[in-house]
Each structure stands twice: as C-alpha cells, then as structure tokens.
Amino acid sequence: MSLSKDKNWWRQAAIYQIYPRSFADTDGNGIGDLKGVTSKVDYLASLSLDAVWLSPFYPSALADGGYDVDDYRNVDPKLGTLADFDEMLAALHNAGIRVFVDIVPNHSSNLHQWFKDAIAAAPGSAERARYIFRDGRGANGEIPPTDWPSHFAPSAWTHESTWGGKHNQWYMHWFAPEQPDWNWDNPEVEADFLKTLKFWADRGVDGFRIDVAHALKKDLSEPLRMRATMEYDAPQNLDGTGILMDRNEVFEVYRTWRTLFNSYDPPRVAVAEANVHPSRLPLYASENTLGQSFDFRFIDAAFTAQNYKECVSQSLELAKKNNSSTTWTLGNHDQMRYATKLGLHPIVDRNDWLLSHGQSHPVDFEIGTRCSVAANLFILALPGCTYIYQGDELGIHEVADIPFDQVQDPLYLRNLKQAKGRDGSRVPLPWTRGGTNFGFGAGTPHLPQPKWFADFSVEAESGISGSPLEVFRKALKLRRELQCAEEITWHETTSEDVLHFSRPNGWNCITNFKASKYPMPAGEIILASSPLVNGKIAAGSTVWFKA
Ligand code: GLC
C-alpha cells in the first residue's frame, strides 16, 4: 500500500503510539528496538493505521524513559542505528503507514554534550547561556534562585556541583535534574532545533509530536519573578503572561517551525503536547503554528454519557476556531491504562491504588476492557484524528504490582515516593500467549510482565471474533472506508445514559454507557464492541450502524 497523496491526510487519521522500549525486542537485551518495530510492520498494517508516533528512541540514560535526550540526531545504540531507522521508515512507508518522531525541545539530558560543556564552562560563558544558569540566593548562594517548582522534584533548580560544576551556580529544570531546560531566548538553541527537525524531515519523517510544547519560553527577565504557578487556569497563564508555561512568545518559535514544515512536499505535520487551558489550545493547533494539538479532555472524563457529550461538543467547537481537526485520545505512556481506569470504582484514588500494588481495591478486568473498547469505538467514529496507545487495542490493563525496587519512573523516584508513577502502562507488550517473555524478546524485559498478560496477548486475541483486537481491526478498517465530512449530528435517545450521533454519510454510532439494555435503533449494524443481547445494546457497548 502506498502513502496517500492527500495533504490533509492527518486531519482524520488513526495514529498509533509506539513506546519503542516496550514494543518488541529483537536483540534480547530486554529493551525494545527499532528492528522490533520493523518486525511488526505486518501487525501494524493489520490495524489499518495512517501513522505511528514513536516515543523517543534517541541516546538516553533513561532518567525519564527516554525523554532525557543525549543526542537529538541519533539512535540509542540499545535500540539500533540510524540505518535501522531508515529501514524501519521504509518498511512502514511501504505498508502505507507514516511516521512521527517525538521532539523534546524543552530540555535535553544532563549527558547532552552542550550541557557537559556548560557545566565545564564559567558563568557568563556562551556554553552556559544555552541553558538557564543563575547564582543562588543567600550569603553563599546556597538558596535556589527562585521558588519555582518542578514536576518531578520539589525545586526546579539543582546545584551544578551535582554534576561536578565548580562555580556555585544553579540550573533550572522543569522535570528531573537530569533534564536541564534549554534557554529558548538563545538563537543558538533555536537554530539547533531547526537543524534537528530538518534532519528527520529530510530522512522522510512525516510528522512530529512536540513534547511539553507549552514550556519552551520562560520569563527570564531579571530579577526573576517568584511564585510561578503550574495551574493551567491561573489568570497569568490564561493570557500567556505566566512565568514558566504557555507564554505567548512560544508561538514565534512554532511559526518558524511551520515555515520549515511547509517547505516540504507534503508539508510535515506536528501535534503539540500542550497541557494548557483548553481555551489556549487553538494557538498551538493553528495552521501558522503546529497545526494540531492533543486534546486530553477524555483522558480523565468519567465514562458517562454526559461527560462524553460535553467533551465532544467543546472539542469540536475549539477545533473550528483554527481550521484544525480535533484529536481524541484515551491513553498514552503517561497515563494509567484506560481499561483499568474504567475497571476501577470511580471513587478509588488511583495513586493510592497503585502504591498498594493494586491490592487496596479490586479492578474488574472484564468491565474495564469492555467499556474501554466501547469508548474507543465511540471516539473512532467522531470526526478528527485519533491517537491510540500501544496495547490499548488489546484492552490491556495497568500492571499495578511492579515491585518498588524495579520502578523506573522519576515521578516515583523523585517525588518522595508519594506516587508510583507511569511504569504500569509501559510494560513490554505480550505478543504470544506463552513462550519467552510472551514473545517480547529473549532477554528479561526491562519491566516485569504479569502472568495475566497471556490472555491479552496478540496471539490470544487474533482471529477470535469479538476480542478487543479484532474489534479494533474491524473498526479501523471500516473507519477508513466510512470517513467523511468532519461533522456530527446528535440524535435524541430515551435514556440519559445513551449517546447517539451520526456522520453526514449515514454512519451512526450509539453508546450505552450504563443503562440497562437499550433497544437497538433501526438500521444495518456494521460493528458492535460487544454482542447485542436479545437485539438490545448492553451497558458498556458501542454499536456502529448505517441508518
Ligand atoms: C512529556 C512526556 C513525559 C515526560 C515529560 C518530560 O509530558 O510525555 O513522558 O516525562 O514530557 O519530558
């Protein structure tokens, strides 16, 4: 299959996120690799995907799962080589699947050559000016320069002596200390990222997922302001004048990137990971900036008809504002598996549950998986672009019982162990029911796989009518055939727990969230997430039909 020639291919695409280290391991080092992705191209093609997005595969010491990048224009030797990348890209393109890579522009890693140069250089040097170094407060500079918080540690400042620096300065990091923030006021930094984008675009990469797209520009004017707020709805963040996030200046960067993207044929596309107030998302998704932005509204919306309808209506309205299309996403590598969210009683504190290794409350695997497949069919029928996280097509659950001494996530390691973090959705995928490491690879997987993975393996679900995988396969294939104008019409239902909408070509989607069995409207059923019961739609089911 060849790549579509449509320049707007991304508007209503199905895009699958690969977390490469946990996808497939061909060299037996326990870590997935690029050859692993190549070895699964047939599987990816069987899902009728328009594109895959690869989380970082760059050289990294994995202080934050690869989002700590040592070298933006290379492949981590543990995952392969640039030649492996080219081979993978060609194989995916041959199968009609486009490729996004992850760009991490807010911070590098502490092992990036430029950070090492900065630590070795003196205050005021050009090397230090690429990052955010400042003197501390207090008589001996022993107090961090400001009170700015970090996502992964109490303070956003770490003393340079941590890495052997001898000049008594502090540097800023929004995430882990191993992730020093770039100084985006420095033209050298801007030029280097243009070089990186060009490097991958020239290799044939079709799009970019932009990590923490809202954080690049900070207010670094002196004296540094205090009391930065991470609340995305704080007034200063709503008008783009906050200290650390979502500042209006960031769009200047993205306008420059857009000029580069548009110099390619077809233009390269991008999607922003911007954790900002929804009213600010159109600025990232504008056709003059990144073109598309994740809308994370569904990720934490309770599985109810009312919430889902609200999310859809608000999101579609926003997308119209910038001539972009909407994005829908239920999971990613930062989230608890969606099936588990829906299988846990809504009042359960997920963090506490994870800290208890999943022992504090039962999770209903069956309900969770069933509802998550129903939720996926719901979003797949909506106009716009859908992002699917690897394994969600299997209805797989969170691995809650990773022993603490094997947890890798800095969220756990750095946050005084108050949160267990995100490893539970990053456990290497089960390909086979049995065999070594469920077919992931010969070496011990970098995160432990539970026994119950057998039932959620690709092998266990393949060819089984009604399994999550087969429902996804059908849904994605049909979706491609049925795709039409980006509009929906809501239809009345006789239950407040049931939503029914249709697309302009007569493609109907009805979801019963939790009502007792709901009568199936007249029409030709084309797909059901779970079988009808005496002609009725059971709770936790979605049906697609032609009216
Ligand atoms: C993004 C990534 C997340 C990472 C963070 C810092 O939010 O999705 O995994 O920890 O950025 O790079």
Side-chain angles (χ1 to χ4, degrees), residues 64 67 104 107 152 175 179 209 211-212 273 275 333-334 422 426:
D64 182 22
Y67 285 89
V104 189
H107 44 266
F152 291 164
F175 292 88
Q179 295 169 293
R209 179 257 187 195
D211 189 65
V212 202
E273 184 216 25
N275 284 308
H333 66 293
D334 292 329
R422 305 160 293 177
R426 300 175 178 183

Short mmCIF file of all heavy atoms in Angstrom, two decimals, residues 64 67 104 107 152 175 179 209 211-212 273 275 333-334 422 426, ligand 1:
data_model
loop_
_atom_site.label_atom_id
_atom_site.label_comp_id
_atom_site.label_asym_id
_atom_site.label_seq_id
_atom_site.Cartn_x
_atom_site.Cartn_y
_atom_site.Cartn_z
N ASP A 64 14.27 9.57 32.41
CA ASP A 64 12.82 9.78 32.27
C ASP A 64 12.33 9.05 31.01
O ASP A 64 11.78 9.67 30.09
CB ASP A 64 12.51 11.28 32.20
CG ASP A 64 11.01 11.55 32.09
OD1 ASP A 64 10.22 10.66 32.48
OD2 ASP A 64 10.63 12.64 31.62
N TYR A 67 12.82 10.56 27.59
CA TYR A 67 12.51 11.99 27.42
C TYR A 67 13.63 12.84 28.03
O TYR A 67 13.45 14.01 28.33
CB TYR A 67 11.14 12.33 28.01
CG TYR A 67 10.02 11.83 27.10
CD1 TYR A 67 9.50 10.54 27.24
CD2 TYR A 67 9.55 12.61 26.06
CE1 TYR A 67 8.51 10.07 26.38
CE2 TYR A 67 8.56 12.15 25.20
CZ TYR A 67 8.05 10.88 25.37
OH TYR A 67 7.08 10.42 24.51
N VAL A 104 11.76 16.67 21.75
CA VAL A 104 11.73 17.07 23.16
C VAL A 104 12.50 18.40 23.30
O VAL A 104 13.69 18.41 23.64
CB VAL A 104 12.36 15.97 24.05
CG1 VAL A 104 12.14 16.27 25.54
CG2 VAL A 104 11.78 14.60 23.71
N HIS A 107 13.82 20.47 27.17
CA HIS A 107 15.02 20.13 27.95
C HIS A 107 15.83 19.09 27.21
O HIS A 107 15.28 18.33 26.42
CB HIS A 107 14.60 19.58 29.31
CG HIS A 107 13.46 18.60 29.21
ND1 HIS A 107 12.15 18.97 29.37
CD2 HIS A 107 13.42 17.27 28.93
CE1 HIS A 107 11.36 17.92 29.21
NE2 HIS A 107 12.11 16.88 28.93
N PHE A 152 8.93 16.93 38.82
CA PHE A 152 9.46 15.68 39.36
C PHE A 152 10.27 15.86 40.64
O PHE A 152 10.93 14.94 41.08
CB PHE A 152 10.38 15.01 38.33
CG PHE A 152 9.69 14.46 37.12
CD1 PHE A 152 10.42 14.14 35.99
CD2 PHE A 152 8.32 14.23 37.11
CE1 PHE A 152 9.80 13.61 34.87
CE2 PHE A 152 7.69 13.72 36.00
CZ PHE A 152 8.43 13.40 34.86
N PHE A 175 11.56 19.33 34.87
CA PHE A 175 11.32 17.93 35.18
C PHE A 175 12.46 17.44 36.09
O PHE A 175 12.80 18.12 37.04
CB PHE A 175 11.13 17.12 33.88
CG PHE A 175 9.84 17.52 33.18
CD1 PHE A 175 9.80 18.56 32.28
CD2 PHE A 175 8.65 16.88 33.49
CE1 PHE A 175 8.61 18.96 31.69
CE2 PHE A 175 7.45 17.26 32.91
CZ PHE A 175 7.44 18.30 32.00
N GLN A 179 17.26 16.55 33.47
CA GLN A 179 16.62 17.16 32.29
C GLN A 179 16.72 18.69 32.35
O GLN A 179 15.71 19.38 32.56
CB GLN A 179 15.15 16.73 32.23
CG GLN A 179 14.98 15.22 32.00
CD GLN A 179 13.54 14.76 32.21
OE1 GLN A 179 13.04 14.79 33.33
NE2 GLN A 179 12.88 14.32 31.15
N ARG A 209 5.74 14.85 17.09
CA ARG A 209 4.97 15.08 18.31
C ARG A 209 5.86 15.95 19.19
O ARG A 209 7.02 15.63 19.43
CB ARG A 209 4.64 13.74 18.97
CG ARG A 209 3.86 13.84 20.28
CD ARG A 209 4.76 13.62 21.46
NE ARG A 209 4.04 13.54 22.73
CZ ARG A 209 4.62 13.64 23.91
NH1 ARG A 209 5.93 13.80 24.00
NH2 ARG A 209 3.93 13.56 25.01
N ASP A 211 6.91 17.46 22.50
CA ASP A 211 6.83 17.22 23.94
C ASP A 211 6.77 18.55 24.71
O ASP A 211 7.53 19.48 24.40
CB ASP A 211 8.10 16.44 24.36
CG ASP A 211 8.04 15.94 25.79
OD1 ASP A 211 7.19 15.10 26.08
OD2 ASP A 211 8.85 16.40 26.61
N VAL A 212 5.89 18.61 25.69
CA VAL A 212 5.79 19.78 26.56
C VAL A 212 5.87 21.08 25.75
O VAL A 212 6.64 22.00 26.08
CB VAL A 212 6.86 19.78 27.66
CG1 VAL A 212 6.45 20.64 28.84
CG2 VAL A 212 7.14 18.38 28.19
N GLU A 273 1.93 18.54 22.43
CA GLU A 273 1.51 18.10 23.76
C GLU A 273 1.55 19.36 24.62
O GLU A 273 2.61 19.79 25.07
CB GLU A 273 2.47 17.05 24.34
CG GLU A 273 1.96 16.54 25.68
CD GLU A 273 3.05 16.23 26.71
OE1 GLU A 273 4.15 16.81 26.64
OE2 GLU A 273 2.79 15.41 27.60
N ASN A 275 -0.13 21.04 27.82
CA ASN A 275 -1.02 20.93 28.98
C ASN A 275 -1.42 22.32 29.42
O ASN A 275 -0.89 22.87 30.38
CB ASN A 275 -0.32 20.18 30.11
CG ASN A 275 -0.27 18.70 29.82
OD1 ASN A 275 -1.29 18.08 29.52
ND2 ASN A 275 0.93 18.14 29.85
N HIS A 333 1.64 6.97 27.20
CA HIS A 333 2.64 6.41 28.12
C HIS A 333 2.69 7.14 29.45
O HIS A 333 3.46 6.75 30.33
CB HIS A 333 4.01 6.46 27.43
CG HIS A 333 4.44 7.89 27.20
ND1 HIS A 333 3.79 8.73 26.34
CD2 HIS A 333 5.43 8.62 27.76
CE1 HIS A 333 4.35 9.92 26.37
NE2 HIS A 333 5.36 9.88 27.22
N ASP A 334 1.94 8.22 29.59
CA ASP A 334 1.92 8.95 30.86
C ASP A 334 0.69 8.63 31.69
O ASP A 334 0.50 9.19 32.77
CB ASP A 334 1.92 10.47 30.60
CG ASP A 334 3.22 10.96 29.99
OD1 ASP A 334 4.27 10.35 30.29
OD2 ASP A 334 3.18 11.92 29.21
N ARG A 422 4.34 6.00 36.23
CA ARG A 422 3.70 5.63 34.97
C ARG A 422 4.19 4.32 34.37
O ARG A 422 3.82 3.97 33.26
CB ARG A 422 3.92 6.79 33.98
CG ARG A 422 3.43 8.12 34.51
CD ARG A 422 4.05 9.30 33.80
NE ARG A 422 5.49 9.37 34.10
CZ ARG A 422 6.32 10.26 33.58
NH1 ARG A 422 5.87 11.18 32.75
NH2 ARG A 422 7.60 10.25 33.88
N ARG A 426 3.73 0.95 30.75
CA ARG A 426 4.90 0.90 29.86
C ARG A 426 5.54 -0.49 29.86
O ARG A 426 6.67 -0.65 29.41
CB ARG A 426 5.93 1.93 30.30
CG ARG A 426 5.42 3.35 30.27
CD ARG A 426 6.43 4.31 30.83
NE ARG A 426 5.94 5.69 30.77
CZ ARG A 426 6.63 6.75 31.14
NH1 ARG A 426 7.86 6.60 31.61
NH2 ARG A 426 6.13 7.95 31.04
C1 GLC B 1 6.02 14.70 28.45
C2 GLC B 1 6.17 13.21 28.26
C3 GLC B 1 6.50 12.59 29.57
C4 GLC B 1 7.79 13.19 30.10
C5 GLC B 1 7.72 14.71 30.13
C6 GLC B 1 9.07 15.31 30.30
O1 GLC B 1 4.94 15.04 29.23
O2 GLC B 1 5.01 12.70 27.69
O3 GLC B 1 6.63 11.20 29.47
O4 GLC B 1 8.04 12.72 31.37
O5 GLC B 1 7.21 15.22 28.94
O6 GLC B 1 9.82 15.19 29.13
#
